[in-house]
Structure formats: structure tokens, C-alpha cells
């Protein structure tokens, strides 16, 4: 079945149909075995069916151009210009068209350049899945999956396609992104009745859902836009999810629409009542409306983000989406895992501590055998956890590998965070079955028949030293049986495996920097409370309050909300605990970041506003993260937060300057229209003024930001912007009216000279006010602007003053101004900036703290999840087809790879997409 972009999922999709079939029939119909496809066949299917993606992140020039052209005011202005051209005012119409084209072109160039930066950024991201190819496990790109691939699923994985499950071991999937249900769904391999709803497809793991616990294996039955998740994601806009920053931009735009609509209508009516030419009045009103609209705001934001991503890249920070930089700036609470973030992350196996009667070699051998991961051709585990990797990489393990050749693993009970252990059954060289259990010492020891006192003392000493410890135990088992949780009892303790993961030398300083940025840091770890407390002590957090997972289980959400505020360390917590902590903190307001590097951090990374990981993290953690620290330096996170806040601060500068001065200009135009027998300024001059002003503001992303502006998160406050506009707009208008008085009363200006004088004065005041509004400090003395901003602002003012003396003056309707006028303008600009400075101090003293609205989440997590199923190549638009509604075989329909396209065709046999 294929659905059109934007269509609702059609009942009877491939996952639904496959879930109703026995697994053997699904494999037969896909012409694949349980050992997966060959690499050659996978390549052929990929070529035929295209990538496993729901949208393309290619930068599209036409879409960026449409963003520049979609303003209805701009369309009305161009329409009016065309009308004026045909009624005889051709020169003005041509000038308006040229200026609009330059303005659109300027915005297009800058925004498209930022889109290309985002494309390059996205192309660096790799999401992988473990599949069986040529009968052995290997990692491939998620977008390279094809129908028929056999995929391995482990804790924290995002299911990479719609899978018909072939084997499960305690597998549960969180499907809230698809069904809205918060509770995970238990999975098995049994067929379900035909037509079963998505929420009840226990025999399938669906694309975009998260493995909540356990493990499994499944065969791909649908990829890309044909998967259930893909149908929904493909119907959304190709843009990324809206952040709080983008929601603020949209609300701000609506504010301008209301203001522009009211004032433009008033100005047009006034001019018509005063019997001014209808076309001129319409063009003037529309030009004023376009003038108040900060047309280059998207370009300013995009340029800021692109420049920010380049700066962060130089600091070895990779953001998966440009808007992640803004998200970082909003963070005020950071939950961080201990391992790999506060500690060095390079876990080293130190020693085996045997109990009496057992050797260190035996403890090590049992620890190597007790793993739930598969082993590749080199004898290395594929996709293992960091502790297993450290154990297998140790010199002591290398000496033991030869002794493992006679042992055979016959069953696995995967690790889960309720039991906190993994168990396997193996047969030794004599053919006897043995159950081996490895996991958290507290969990393993309570299942052992006897624990010697010296072992308990040794365990306490290791915890006190901050070392990580895993206990290993065993007992005889029945031959040919798979282990179950009920079998984990009456164990014989073999000993302890001790690992070293010391704190990073620079972690304490990084925590201080984050604290200076107003970010509260809390540690969330699965480690023993004593180990976590030792790390906190080493990092200067000696008085940190500690809660354990057991404590959390005894609290409802209301009590936990209160407890989170006074707790610094959460120890022995499960992935579900971590995600719950993050979700509850998000409900209290403020943006929450989670920093982790392990498989058990994936759920919390998905739940946070910003997921952060490190380059040395597991693939699952890096896949779930929005931001990746390419170097093991926690200080770069503080750089990223400061960068996000710097971008926001610079964007707000443009907004505040544009709205206040443009509002003032519109107010001035409305007032001038009441007493002037001519238009205060020609429409082409208004647009030229706006173009020059906006050009000067493109340097704002380079500007310096005061230290106090990055000390705490800043957020959109439309009420604040409205108050600022109402306060500072009239100040701008006051000096406009002074200019009018000077031009008419002192220089006795005619219409052309009046137009020229107001053009020069308004351009100078609204451009130079940037130096006052860009900071709350005294400009130049206590806060210096960047050199590019200074040069562009002064250059634009100089150009505006020089235009009346150039050959373009007659074309633009300008006239030479008397020398005395420039002296008057200079004096007015100085007085204006001084008055703005005083008003600024009064305004900020009475403005109060900005409000913090929290947008509705909407499709936030769905779009964020969809970002991983993205490709640079252009994707075809899937088409709805009645012939596809019965897809996925059943009732005699075949999934043959060679059959023609028919009703009931398989994902392998249906018509391949073009392009």
C-alpha cells in the first residue's frame, strides 16, 4: 500500500497484513531466510526501491525563493506597481520592481546559503542499524535498509522500519509517537487477527518507535513513506519541528500583520479623503506596510544560525539541526549521566576479584561468556555495551579467548533494568549446561546461596573508591533450555569484575561554567549511590542530595516534582526512571537537556528538549541525541549554550530596532498625511530606505553580546516587544516631525526636497539607533559593537546621504539638500540617541522579567524522530493507489520479487519509484 503525501494511513497496511501471517510465510513471500539477505541482493533492492527515508534534507532553491515571495503585502505591492505602470506611472513602477527584486534577492542569497550549511550539517549525521547480511551481523545506514532485511533490536534502539518480528526476548516498545499511548507494548512473534489496529500489533515493531526493554529480531516489511510512521511523517511539512524560538517568530509576525493592517488602512483612507491620487495613495500605503515588515528577519536568523554552526564546529560541537543551537540557548536544567560525560568514558577493566575457591581466570572467563551480543568474524561483540567492550579489549581477556572455543551459548535472557543483570546458558567442553549471570552486585548477590564476608567488604571498598563493579555467578542448568528470570536463584558467586572510569580533569571547571550560565546540573546514573557520591565529591559537589531508583518508585509524580528540585544525584535508576525524571521536569517549565552516552540513556535523550551525547558514546545514544560533543570536553557544552543565547540576543536586536523605528515611521507617515498636500515620501523611496536599512542589519549576526545577556535563558515575549515598540516608536516619530518642521519652516522645501530630507533623516536615525538598542549598557564605552556592524551601519547612512548628489537622484525622485540641513540632521541624530539612551534605562527598570510561554508540543517529537529517516537524494511523492490497499499478501497473494505489479503486491514486487 502506498499513500499520498499528507494522506491518513490506510487500514490494511503492510505491517497490519504481515502481523496476521505466520513468520515462515512472511519470509517466503519476501524470498528471504532468517539469515537475512545477501549484500548483492540488498544492493539490488535498494536500487529498485530507493532509500528508507521519509523526506529529503536537500536545500531547494525554489522553496527558499518562495519563502521570500510569499508575503501577501509584497504581492499586493507588485500588483499595484504593475497597474501603475499601465496607467502611465512607468518609472515609479519600474523602480519599485527593481528595489523589491533586490530585497528578495538579498534575502534569498543569505537564506539559501544557510540552507546549504544545514544540508552539509545533516549529511554528516549517520544513523545505523544492526542487520544480518550474508548470514552475519553488521551495521548499515538506516536509510540503506530494504524489505527483506533481518534487523536486530536492542534496548534504546529506534526501530528503523516496519518489522515482522521473528524472535523476541522480553521485548517491549514505546509507541507513543504513533499511537499516543505512554505505556510500552509487549511484543511477541504470534500472528494477530487480520485488521488488528496499530496499537495492538504485538507481532510487529513499527518504524520510529523505541525499544523500551528486551531485545528482538525482525524482518523488514515496509520502509520509508510506506511504513506506518512514514505515512504520517511524509504528510508533514519538510521543515524541521518548530522550536520555541520559531513559534516566537511566528507570533511576532502575526503582531506585525495586525499593526501593519491597522496603520496601512488608516494611511490609505486619510490620503484618499484628502483627494490624493488613488494609485499613489495605494502604493504609498502598501510600501509603508512592507516597510514595517522585517523582510530580512528569516535571512538574519538563518545567517546567525549558520554562522553559529560554523563557530560550534570549530569548537568540536556537532548539531544535527541548526535550530538545535537555539534549543541549547534555552536550556536551564541539565540532567547528565555520569559515565563518559563527567567521567573519562574510557572504561578500563582493572581486575577480577574471585571468592575463595575460585580463580580470577574463571571469573574472567564466565564474564566473557555472559554477554547478549553477537560476535563477528574477529571474535568481537557487535553493538555491545561499554563494560563488555572494556572486558573484551583487556589484555587479560586476550589470554582467555582461546579457552572459550569449546563453549557454546544456547540461550539468552537479556539485560533489563528491573533485574539489572543478564543471564545466558552455555554448554562447556564436557557438554554440561551452565547458567551464568552477570550484573549489578546488589542484584546478583541477593540471588546467591552464600556471599563470603570478605567479598562484601571488598565490594564496599571498590564502591568507596569510585570504581564500577559487576558481579558474576553461575549454577548448573538443564541442557537445551533457555534461561528465564525464575532460574536466577541459588547461584554460586564466582567473583567481581572491577572497572575504572575516573572523573575528567576538566569536568569540575565545566560544571562551574554551566552554573555561571544559570544552568542547574543534576546527575542521573545507573551506578551505585556510593560510586556516584564519590564522583560528586571529586567534582566539588560534596553536599549533593541523593535519591535512588527505589526511592523514585515510592513517589507519585507530585512528590517527585518536589524532590527533583532539591536532589542533585539520582543513582541506581533505570532508563524508565531517567525518562520519567526528564518528563516531570519539563512539565515544571523551562527547557531540559539530557546528556548521556550509553544505551540506557536513549529513552531520556528522546524525552528531553535537547538530547546531548559525546563522540565516544554508543551508537544508540548518538542516534538519540540532537547535539554531539566531538571532543571529550564538557566545557564545549557551555560554549554551545552561550552560542545559542548569543544568536537569540542578536536576533532580538534586529526585531526591536525594526519594529520600533518602522512603527515610528508609519506613525509619522499617518500624521504627515493629515497636513501635507503631497505624499511624505514616494513608495519607491520607502522601499529603498527599507532595503538599505535591512542590508546594514545583515551584519548583526557578527555583533558582540554583553555577558549578562548569556547568563540566563532568554525567551520570546510578544508583550515585551509590543511595549518596546509603543515606547520607542513615538520617540522616532518625534524626530520625524522635527524634521518636517525644519524642512518646511526653515528650508521651505518643496515636495522633492521634503522627500529627500525625510529619507536621509529616517535612514540615519533608524540605522544608527542600533548602537543604543543593541545593549543595555552605555554604547561604545561599556559595550562595543562588532567592526562589521559598525562599518555597515555607518556605510549605509553615508550612502543614503550621498544618493541625492548622484546621477541616480532624478530617477529616484531625490533633490540636492542644503548644507545646513545635514548639520541639523547630525544634531537631531545625537539628541535622538541620547534620548533613546535615557528612555532605555527607564524602560528596562520598569519592564520586569520576560514571560516564558511554553508552546504546545504538537508534532515536536514526531518530526524530531522523522529527522533520522532523511536523505540527501530527492524522494518521489508516493501516490495513493486502490490497487495497493490489499498489499502484503495473505489469502493467496504472493510477495515475489519477479512478479508484475498487481493487487496485493509486496514492497519488493510493487512498482519501483521513479527518480
Amino acid at each position: 500500500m502506498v499513500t499520498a503525501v499528507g494522506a491518513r494511513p490506510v487500514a490494511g497496511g503492510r505491517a497490519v497484513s504481515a502481523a496476521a501471517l505466520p513468520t515462515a510465510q512472511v519470509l517466503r513471500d519476501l524470498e528471504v531466510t532468517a539469515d537475512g539477505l545477501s549484500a548483492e541482493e540488498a544492493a539490488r533492492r535498494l536500487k529498485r526501491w530507493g532509500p528508507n527515508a521519509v523526506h529529503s534534507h536537500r536545500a531547494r532553491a525554489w522553496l527558499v525563493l518562495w519563502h521570500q515571495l510569499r508575503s501577501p503585502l509584497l504581492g499586493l505591492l507588485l500588483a499595484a506597481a504593475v497597474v501603475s505602470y499601465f496607467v502611465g506611472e512607468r518609472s515609479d513602477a519600474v523602480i519599485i520592481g527593481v528595489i523589491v527584486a533586490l530585497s528578495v534577492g538579498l534575502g534569498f542569497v543569505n537564506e539559501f546559503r544557510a540552507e546549504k550549511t544545514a544540508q552539509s550539517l545533516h549529511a554528516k549525521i549517520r544513523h545505523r542499524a544492526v542487520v544480518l547480511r550474508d548470514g552475519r551481523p553488521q551495521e548499515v545506514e538506516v536509510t540503506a535498509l530494504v524489505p527483506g532485511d533481518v534487523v536486530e533490536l536492542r534496548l534504546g534502539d529506534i526501530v528503523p522500519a516496519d518489522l515482522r518480528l521473528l524472535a523476541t526476548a522480553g521485548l517491549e516498545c514505546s509507541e507513543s509517537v504513533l499511537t499516543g499511548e505512554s505505556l510500552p507494548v509487549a511484543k511477541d512473534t504470534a500472528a494477530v487477527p487480520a485488521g488488528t489496529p496499530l496499537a495492538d500489533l504485538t507481532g510487529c515493531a513499527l518504524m520510529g518507535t523505541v525499544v523500551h526493554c528486551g531485545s528482538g529480531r525482525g524482518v523488514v516489511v515496509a520502509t520509508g513513506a510506506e511504513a506506518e510512521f512514514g505515512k504520517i511523517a511524509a504528510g508533514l511539512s519538510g521543515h524541521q519541528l518548530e522550536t520555541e524560538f520559531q513559534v516566537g517568530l511566528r507570533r511576532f509576525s502575526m503582531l506585525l500583520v495586525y499593526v501593519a493592517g491597522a496603520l496601512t488602512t488608516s494611511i490609505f483612507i486619510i490620503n484618499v479623503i484628502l483627494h490624493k491620487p488613488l494609485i499613489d495613495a495605494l502604493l504609498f500605503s502598501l510600501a509603508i506596510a512592507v516597510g514595517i515588515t522585517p523582510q530580512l528577519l528569516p535571512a538574519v536568523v538563518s545567517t546567525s544560525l549558520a554562522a553559529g554552526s560554523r563557530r560550534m564546529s570549530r569548537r568540536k560541537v556537532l548539531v544535527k539541526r541548526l535550530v538545535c543551537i537555539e534549543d541549547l540557548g534555552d536550556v536551564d536544567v541539565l540532567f547528565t549521566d555520569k559515565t563518559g560525560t563527567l567521567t573519562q568514558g574510557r572504561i578500563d577493566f582493572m581486575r577480577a576479584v574471585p571468592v575463595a575457591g575460585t580463580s580470577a581466570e574463571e571469573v574472567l572467563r564466565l564474564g566473557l561468556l555472559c554477554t547478549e551480543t553477537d560476535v563477528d568474524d574477529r571474535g568481537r561483540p557487535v553493538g555491545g555495551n561499554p563494560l563488555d567492550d572494556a572486558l573484551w579489549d583487556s589484555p587479560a581477556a586476550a589470554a582467555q579467548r582461546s579457552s572459550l572455543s569449546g563453549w557454546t551459548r544456547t540461550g539468552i535472557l537479556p539485560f533489563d533494568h528491573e533485574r539489572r543483570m543478564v543471564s545466558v546458558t552455555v554448554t562447556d567442553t564436557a557438554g554440561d549446561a551452565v547458567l551464568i549471570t552477570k550484573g549489578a552486585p546488589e542484584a546478583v548477590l541477593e540471588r546467591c546461596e552464600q556471599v563470603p564476608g570478605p567479598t562484601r567488604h571488598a565490594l564496599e571498598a571498590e564502591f568507596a573508591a569510585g570504581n564500577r563493579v559487576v558481579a558474576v555467578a553461575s549454577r548448573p542448568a538443564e541442557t537445551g533450555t533457555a534461561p528465564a528470570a525464575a532460574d536466577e536463584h541459588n547461584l554460586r558467586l564466582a567473583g567481581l569484575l572491577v572497572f575504572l572510569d575516573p572523573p575528567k580533569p576538566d569536568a569540575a571547571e565545566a560544571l562551574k561554567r554551566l552554573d555561571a550560565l544559570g544552568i542547574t546540573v543534576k546527575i542521573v546514573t545507573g551506578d551505585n549511590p556510593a560510586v556516584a557520591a564519590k564522583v560528586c565529591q571529586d567534582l566539588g559537589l560534596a553536599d549533593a542530595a541523593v535519591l535512588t531508583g527505589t526511592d523514585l518508585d515510592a513517589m507519585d509524580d507530585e512528590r517527585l516534582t518536589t524532590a527533583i528540585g532539591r536532589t542533585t544525584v539520582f543513582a541506581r535508576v533505570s532508563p524508565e526512571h531517567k525518562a520519567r525524571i526528564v518528563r516531570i521536569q519539563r512539565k515544571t517549565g523551562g527547557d531540559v537537556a539530557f546528556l548521556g552516552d550509553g544505551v540506557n540513556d536513549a529513552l531520556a535523550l528522546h524525552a528531553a528538549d535537547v538530547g546531548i551525547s559525546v563522540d565516544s558514546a554508543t551508537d544508540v545514544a548518538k542516534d538519540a541525541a540532537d547535539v554531539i560533543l566531538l571532543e571529550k570536553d564538557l566545557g564545549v557544552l557551555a560554549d554551545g549554550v552561550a552560542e545559542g543565547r548569543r544568536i537569540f540576543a542578536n536576533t532580538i536586536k534586529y526585531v526591536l530596532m525594526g519594529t520600533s523605528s518602522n512603527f515610528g515611521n508609519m506613525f509619522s507617515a499617518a500624521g504627515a498625511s493629515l497636513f501635507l498636500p503631497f505624499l511624505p515620501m514616494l513608495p519607491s523611496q520607502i522601499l529603498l530606505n527599507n532595503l538599505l536599512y535591512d542590508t546594514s542589519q545583515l551584519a548583526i549576526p557578527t555583533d558582540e553580546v554583553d555577558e549578562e545577556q548569556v547568563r540566563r535563558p532568554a525567551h520570546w515575549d510578544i508583550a515585551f516587544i509590543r511595549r518596546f515598540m509603543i515606547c520607542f516608536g513615538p520617540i522616532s516619530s518625534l524626530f520625524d516631525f522635527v524634521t518636517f518642521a525644519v524642512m518646511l519652516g526653515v528650508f521651505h522645501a518643496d515636495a522633492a526636497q521634503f522627500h529627500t530630507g525625510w529619507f536621509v533623516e529616517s535612514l540615519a536615525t533608524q540605522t544608527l539607533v542600533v548602537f543604543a538598542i543593541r545593549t543595555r549598557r552605555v554604547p561604545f564605552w561599556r559595550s562595543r559593537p562588532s567592526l562589521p556592524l559598525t562599518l555597515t551601519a555607518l556605510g549605509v547612512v553615508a550612502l543614503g546621504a550621498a544618493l541625492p548628489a548622484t546621477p541616480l537622484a532624478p530617477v529616484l525622485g531625490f533633490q540636492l539638500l542644503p548644507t545646513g540641513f545635514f548639520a541639523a540632521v547630525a544634531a537631531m541624530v545625537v539628541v535622538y540617541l541620547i534620548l533613546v539612551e535615557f528612555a532605555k534605562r527607564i524602560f528596562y527598570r520598569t519592564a520586569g522579567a520576560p514571560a516564558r510561554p511554553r508552546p504546545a508540543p504538537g508534532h515536536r517529537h514526531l518530526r524530531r524522530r522523522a529527522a533520522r529517516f532523511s536523505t540527501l537524494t530527492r524522494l518521489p511523492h508516493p501516490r495513493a493507489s486502490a490497487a495497493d490497499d490489499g498489499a502484503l499478501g495473505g489469502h493467496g497473494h504472493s510477495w515475489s520479487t519477479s512478479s508484475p505489479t498487481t493487487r496485493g503486491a509486496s514492497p519488493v514486487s510493487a512498482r519501483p519509484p521513479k527518480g
Side-chain angles (χ1 to χ4, degrees):
M1 179 195 65
V2 181
T3 59
V5 174
R8 293 184 177 181
V10 180
R14 290 178 178 159
V16 175
S17 299
L21 302 176
T23 57
Q25 183 176 339
V26 173
L27 292 174
R28 284 197 306 271
D29 290 342
L30 284 168
E31 293 191 349
V32 66
T33 69
D35 292 330
L37 299 170
S38 67
E40 181 181 356
E41 175 62 15
R44 189 183 73 81
R45 296 189 184 193
L46 180 63
K47 184 177 180 180
R48 185 175 186 184
W49 298 106
N52 176 34
V54 298
H55 66 81
S56 170
H57 56 258
R58 178 190 294 273
R60 288 167 286 184
W62 67 267
L63 189 58
V64 175
L65 182 61
W66 169 244
H67 291 165
Q68 304 299 317
L69 295 173
R70 65 183 177 181
S71 167
L73 290 175
L74 197 62
L76 286 173
L77 179 65
L78 289 176
V82 170
V83 172
S84 67
Y85 179 86
F86 287 106
V87 298
E89 300 182 13
R90 297 188 174 184
S91 59
D92 284 349
V94 170
I95 293 171
I96 290 173
V98 170
I99 293 173
V100 169
L102 288 174
S103 178
V104 169
L106 188 64
F108 170 80
V109 168
N110 282 275
E111 191 171 350
F112 185 65
R113 185 183 303 163
E115 289 284 327
K116 294 293 285 185
T117 299
Q119 173 183 300
S120 174
L121 189 67
H122 210 142
K124 297 178 182 177
I125 307 302
R126 295 290 181 266
H127 299 291
R128 299 182 180 276
V130 177
V131 303
L132 296 181
R133 292 269 176 92
D134 297 319
R136 64 177 185 274
Q138 53 186 282
E139 292 184 338
V140 301
E141 295 286 334
V142 164
T143 54
L145 291 179
V146 296
D149 264 325
V150 176
V151 179
E152 298 283 354
L153 297 177
R154 296 188 179 89
L155 176 67
D157 282 348
I158 294 178
V159 180
D162 281 357
L163 309 179
R164 177 63 171 95
L165 293 170
L166 305 176
T168 62
L171 180 65
E172 294 182 7
C173 292
S174 174
E175 300 181 342
S176 60
V177 72
L178 277 178
T179 65
E181 296 294 334
S182 58
L183 295 177
V185 178
K187 298 293 182 177
D188 54 41
T189 60
V192 298
T196 299
L198 285 183
D200 299 322
L201 292 187
T202 55
C204 286
L206 302 174
M207 173 194 269
T209 62
V210 180
V211 177
H212 187 265
C213 66
S215 61
R217 176 179 293 182
V219 61
V220 175
V221 296
T223 60
E226 296 178 356
E228 297 298 333
F229 175 85
K231 297 171 197 172
I232 301 173
L236 298 174
S237 165
H239 289 293
Q240 299 294 337
L241 57 93
E242 276 193 326
T243 63
E244 184 177 344
F245 186 89
Q246 292 167 317
V247 171
L249 282 178
R250 179 163 47 78
R251 291 175 176 169
F252 167 67
S253 299
M254 290 305 300
L255 169 66
L256 292 184
V257 168
Y258 296 139
V259 173
L263 289 181
T264 302
T265 303
S266 301
I267 292 172
F268 177 70
I269 292 174
I270 290 171
N271 281 282
V272 170
I273 292 175
L274 296 177
H275 304 292
K276 294 171 184 175
L278 182 64
I279 291 295
D280 288 350
L282 179 61
L283 286 171
F284 177 73
S285 302
L286 290 174
I288 285 289
V290 171
I292 196 177
T293 306
Q295 287 174 272
L296 293 188
L297 181 58
V300 169
V301 174
S302 299
T303 303
S304 295
L305 292 175
S309 71
R310 289 190 292 268
R311 282 190 293 269
M312 294 182 71
S313 179
R314 289 194 292 269
R315 292 183 172 95
K316 305 298 183 184
V317 180
L318 177 63
V319 291
K320 294 185 177 180
R321 297 174 292 117
L322 288 180
V323 292
C324 292
I325 303 174
E326 302 159 348
D327 292 333
L328 270 179
D330 285 341
V331 166
D332 44 21
V333 177
L334 170 67
F335 292 100
T336 174
D337 186 31
K338 176 178 65 65
T339 305
T341 53
L342 300 179
T343 60
Q344 292 183 4
R346 184 178 55 83
I347 301 176
D348 295 320
F349 173 68
M350 296 175 63
R351 57 183 171 269
V353 180
V355 299
T358 306
S359 66
E361 290 76 13
E362 181 182 353
V363 178
L364 184 58
R365 181 172 63 252
L366 294 177
L368 291 169
L369 288 168
C370 189
T371 177
E372 60 185 287
T373 58
D374 293 315
V375 178
D376 61 18
D377 294 339
R378 299 172 298 168
R380 293 273 302 134
V382 179
N385 63 66
L387 290 175
D388 275 350
D389 289 344
L391 189 63
W392 280 81
D393 288 338
S394 66
Q400 287 289 323
R401 288 182 186 175
S402 59
S403 65
L404 304 180
S405 57
W407 295 72
T408 304
R409 188 173 65 190
T410 58
I412 306 173
L413 181 60
F415 180 92
D416 68 59
H417 289 272
E418 292 182 2
R419 295 166 35 252
R420 290 182 288 147
M421 64 183 81
V422 58
S423 292
V424 299
T425 51
V426 296
T427 55
D428 59 19
T429 53
D432 296 327
V434 180
L435 171 72
I436 308 173
T437 298
K438 180 175 70 176
E442 301 95 323
V444 175
L445 265 56
E446 70 180 13
R447 289 167 170 81
C448 292
E449 290 181 330
Q450 185 178 3
V451 180
T455 300
R456 292 190 182 275
H457 294 316
L459 178 61
E460 292 173 0
E462 298 292 355
F463 281 155
N467 296 328
R468 303 186 65 176
V469 183
V470 172
V472 182
S474 66
R475 74 174 182 83
E478 294 184 15
T479 304
T481 60
D487 298 326
E488 295 171 331
H489 63 86
N490 296 332
L491 301 174
R492 181 184 66 85
L493 182 64
L496 309 175
L497 299 173
V498 182
F499 300 83
L500 175 65
D501 187 17
K504 293 181 180 179
D506 56 355
E509 181 61 30
L511 290 175
K512 292 179 181 177
R513 286 190 59 195
L514 292 171
D515 182 64
L517 290 170
I519 297 177
T520 302
V521 179
K522 298 178 183 292
I523 298 174
V524 185
T525 178
D527 274 358
N528 179 274
V531 175
K534 178 63 166 60
V535 172
C536 289
Q537 181 180 357
D538 294 341
L539 296 177
L541 301 175
D543 297 329
V546 180
L547 281 179
T548 66
T550 303
D551 299 328
L552 300 184
D553 289 334
M555 298 181 181
D556 58 20
D557 287 356
E558 185 176 350
R559 289 181 57 198
L560 182 55
T561 300
T562 303
I564 288 175
R566 59 173 182 260
T567 304
T568 303
V569 178
F570 301 86
R572 280 296 186 223
V573 289
S574 68
E576 293 83 358
H577 287 140
K578 295 180 181 181
R580 181 188 176 203
I581 291 168
V582 170
R583 283 195 300 267
I584 290 177
Q585 178 62 39
R586 289 185 69 220
K587 291 179 182 178
T588 65
D591 276 18
V592 177
F594 186 91
L595 198 165
D597 74 333
V599 172
N600 57 346
D601 298 317
L603 296 179
L605 287 167
H606 291 308
D609 291 299
V610 186
I612 309 168
S613 193
V614 294
D615 192 41
S616 59
T618 61
D619 288 340
V620 171
K622 287 192 287 187
D623 275 357
D626 300 299
V627 178
I628 296 176
L629 311 181
L630 298 181
E631 285 190 350
K632 295 181 180 181
D633 180 5
L634 197 60
V636 299
L637 176 59
D639 293 336
V641 171
E643 187 64 37
R645 295 179 184 177
R646 197 184 73 83
I647 289 172
F648 183 88
N650 280 336
T651 303
I652 289 296
K653 291 176 188 178
Y654 176 82
V655 169
L656 295 180
M657 288 183 296
T659 52
S660 59
S661 59
N662 288 344
F663 175 74
N665 287 341
M666 293 184 71
F667 190 77
S668 302
S673 298
L674 293 174
F675 65 86
L676 287 177
F678 49 82
L679 293 176
M681 197 185 299
L682 297 179
S684 60
Q685 294 168 347
I686 293 174
L687 295 175
L688 178 61
N689 185 297
N690 190 54
L691 173 64
L692 292 175
Y693 166 75
D694 275 342
T695 302
S696 72
Q697 305 313 299
L698 283 176
I700 283 181
T702 70
D703 193 26
E704 304 295 334
V705 173
D706 297 337
E707 181 182 351
E708 58 267 21
Q709 289 182 279
V710 298
R711 284 180 183 167
R712 62 180 184 274
H715 311 282
W716 280 95
D717 185 351
I718 301 302
F720 174 86
I721 296 173
R722 184 170 55 246
R723 291 195 302 270
F724 193 96
M725 179 175 65
I726 294 173
C727 176
F728 290 88
I731 297 176
S732 173
S733 290
L734 173 64
F735 284 87
D736 286 338
F737 286 116
V738 171
T739 302
F740 299 161
V742 170
M743 292 301 300
L744 297 175
V746 178
F747 297 104
H748 308 290
D750 58 13
Q753 199 172 51
F754 186 95
H755 296 158
T756 308
W758 190 28
F759 177 90
V760 171
E761 181 269 341
S762 65
L763 182 62
T765 52
Q766 73 175 350
T767 302
L768 296 179
V769 78
V770 61
F771 298 120
I773 292 180
R774 59 169 294 277
T775 177
R776 297 191 181 191
R777 300 178 180 181
V778 178
F780 291 104
W781 181 36
R782 295 188 59 202
S783 178
R784 295 182 180 179
S786 68
L787 182 60
L789 180 61
T790 303
L791 293 178
T792 54
L794 296 178
V796 162
V797 172
L799 177 61
L803 272 177
T806 66
L808 290 175
V811 177
L812 297 172
F814 290 141
Q815 192 178 96
L816 280 174
L817 293 168
T819 305
F821 175 77
F822 289 103
V825 167
M828 284 190 289
V829 167
V830 171
V831 176
Y832 172 61
L833 295 180
I834 292 174
L835 184 58
V836 167
E837 189 63 29
F838 279 107
K840 182 178 71 176
R841 296 189 179 188
I842 296 173
F843 178 82
Y844 284 121
R845 277 202 300 265
T846 59
R852 179 163 192 171
R854 187 166 189 85
H859 293 300
R860 177 184 178 93
H861 279 81
L862 191 149
R863 288 182 184 244
R864 177 177 167 188
R865 193 69 47 79
R868 68 185 288 110
F869 302 104
S870 173
T871 179
L872 184 60
T873 59
R874 189 182 303 278
L875 296 178
H877 291 291
R879 295 172 297 175
S881 171
D884 291 323
D885 287 349
L888 282 189
H891 309 293
H893 294 304
S894 172
W895 292 2
S896 168
T897 58
S898 58
S899 63
T901 304
T902 61
R903 179 177 178 86
S906 76
V908 180
S909 64
R911 184 184 299 108
K914 297 179 180 179

